[in-house]
Amino acid sequence: MLRIRLVEEAIAARYVDQEMRCPVHLSVGQEATAVGVCAPLRPEDKVYSTHRSHAHYLAKGGDLKAMLAEIYGKAAGCCGGRGGSMHLFDTSVGMELSVPIVGSSIPLATGAALAMKQRGEDNVAVVIIGDAAIEEGVFHESMNFAELNKLPVIYVCENNLFSIYTSLNQRQPDRPITDLAEAHGVASGQADGNDIEAVCSTMAAAVGRAREGGGPSFLVFETYRWFEHCGPNMDNHLGYRTEQEFENWKGRDPVAAARAALIQSGAGDEAALATLADDLSREIDAAFEFAKNAPLPGPDAAVQHVYA
């Protein structure tokens, strides 16, 4: 979680240099959901992500240098510099893809789960979506199909309460969104998305159920993004959320909470955590230097990986 936080803060700080020429969607404040969802997974399990994908990519084991090179548009990027921030993947660790179109990754994960079942594997497919994606028709079509066929797929809703600038209570009636899954007969669960242990235990239960042939699950983790919808700045001045709401969520910082829990349990202390932060900062600085100095894709690469 700390590594993800420091990486995204470094992206925000360096974005003004105008060397990262793609949009960035940061998930500072949402780290516990990404890590808690990916922790119970094997490398063979497949994750499908959204436009806000940095944390998912790193939590699933993606390569930091390749991620930053991708954001810088370099040939060493995990998508060859073609996709930028919103197209991160590393199939060697099961990070299948990230897609910026809301809801479009849902049927892909469902299809992957169908293939897993047909091959007799006990792997699972996980699709991480935001709360806006539950308003897409394909969410319901995929969930219905998955339940009918008892597919090993887990639909994870990283509910940060906003579809860009429109809050959930302006878009949905007052009822738990887990009701949407229950209407399709799909098992559902909900937990505090800023509590790493709650996310991890809820996810582990769903993964175990899927591996044993119990079928799909829909999990909702409530969390909150600190930065603007797209970009490295704060945007509270736009008025779509109050300063008080923002401060309340910031007071529930998942990284700070995990740090406090580690110290209280005796699993870590101030000195060890400071050393860890220093080590991570050096790793991140080196990864940025790698990305900035890596070559751009050559003209000959323009016709590669193109299908028509």
Side-chain angles (χ1 to χ4, degrees):
M1 292 171 60
L2 178 60
R3 183 173 184 248
I4 292 169
R5 170 70 59 86
L6 294 175
V7 168
E8 291 218 298
E9 287 181 340
I11 291 172
R14 300 173 195 234
Y15 196 75
V16 294
D17 295 340
Q18 296 286 309
E19 294 183 72
M20 291 176 261
R21 305 299 293 176
C22 63
V24 292
H25 300 74
L26 303 175
S27 60
V28 172
Q30 302 184 183
E31 295 88 350
T33 300
V35 176
V37 165
C38 292
L41 300 177
R42 305 168 179 162
E44 296 79 13
D45 297 323
K46 299 184 184 305
V47 167
Y48 297 78
S49 179
T50 69
H51 52 280
R52 206 176 303 283
S53 59
H54 303 162
H56 309 149
Y57 175 88
L58 293 175
K60 194 61 172 65
D63 184 271
L64 175 59
K65 287 183 178 178
M67 184 185 101
L68 292 177
E70 185 60 41
I71 296 174
Y72 275 84
K74 300 299 180 67
C78 58
C79 194
R82 293 166 175 268
S85 167
M86 294 186 284
H87 294 282
L88 304 179
F89 66 85
D90 184 345
T91 55
S92 70
V93 296
M95 182 67 193
E96 291 298 298
L97 54 81
S98 57
V99 184
I101 306 302
V102 173
S104 61
S105 56
I106 297 173
L108 301 178
T110 306
L114 175 62
M116 290 170 180
K117 182 171 182 177
Q118 290 175 335
R119 290 195 294 258
E121 301 171 354
D122 69 346
N123 300 326
V124 302
V126 179
V127 57
I128 305 173
I129 57 177
D131 48 286
I134 65 173
E135 294 153 14
E136 296 289 336
V138 74
F139 169 75
H140 299 276
E141 294 160 356
S142 297
M143 192 166 288
N144 182 67
F145 183 82
E147 178 60 25
L148 279 173
N149 293 280
K150 294 296 180 187
L151 300 183
V153 56
I154 301 171
Y155 304 96
V156 173
C157 179
E158 200 172 36
N159 180 10
N160 66 16
L161 309 179
F162 288 96
S163 173
I164 305 181
Y165 304 124
T166 307
S167 67
L168 186 64
N169 61 20
Q170 292 176 293
R171 305 174 353 247
Q172 293 282 325
D174 184 17
R175 47 102 171 90
I177 58 177
T178 50
D179 286 1
L180 299 174
E182 292 170 10
H184 293 288
V186 173
S188 66
Q190 189 164 12
D192 179 353
N194 281 13
D195 182 336
I196 179 66
E197 292 189 15
V199 174
C200 194
S201 62
T202 303
M203 182 66 183
V207 170
R209 184 172 173 277
R211 293 201 200 285
E212 294 168 2
S217 297
F218 176 57
L219 306 180
V220 179
F221 300 118
E222 290 190 355
T223 183
Y224 204 77
R225 63 170 163 80
W226 294 6
F227 286 81
E228 59 190 329
H229 165 68
C230 179
N233 304 305
M234 297 296 179
D235 64 354
N236 295 355
H237 64 284
L238 296 178
Y240 71 98
R241 60 184 181 184
T242 66
E243 193 67 27
Q244 186 61 55
E245 177 184 282
F246 174 79
E247 290 298 334
N248 288 344
W249 277 96
K250 199 170 180 182
R252 296 172 53 192
D253 181 350
V255 175
R259 175 189 178 87
L262 284 173
I263 293 174
Q264 186 175 16
S265 69
D269 57 35
E270 295 286 356
L273 294 174
T275 299
L276 173 63
D278 289 342
D279 291 345
L280 291 173
S281 293
R282 282 192 288 274
E283 180 206 8
I284 293 165
D285 287 343
F288 269 98
E289 285 306 304
F290 169 82
K292 292 174 67 173
N293 294 323
L296 291 164
D300 58 320
V303 296
Q304 297 175 356
H305 313 297
V306 175
Y307 303 92

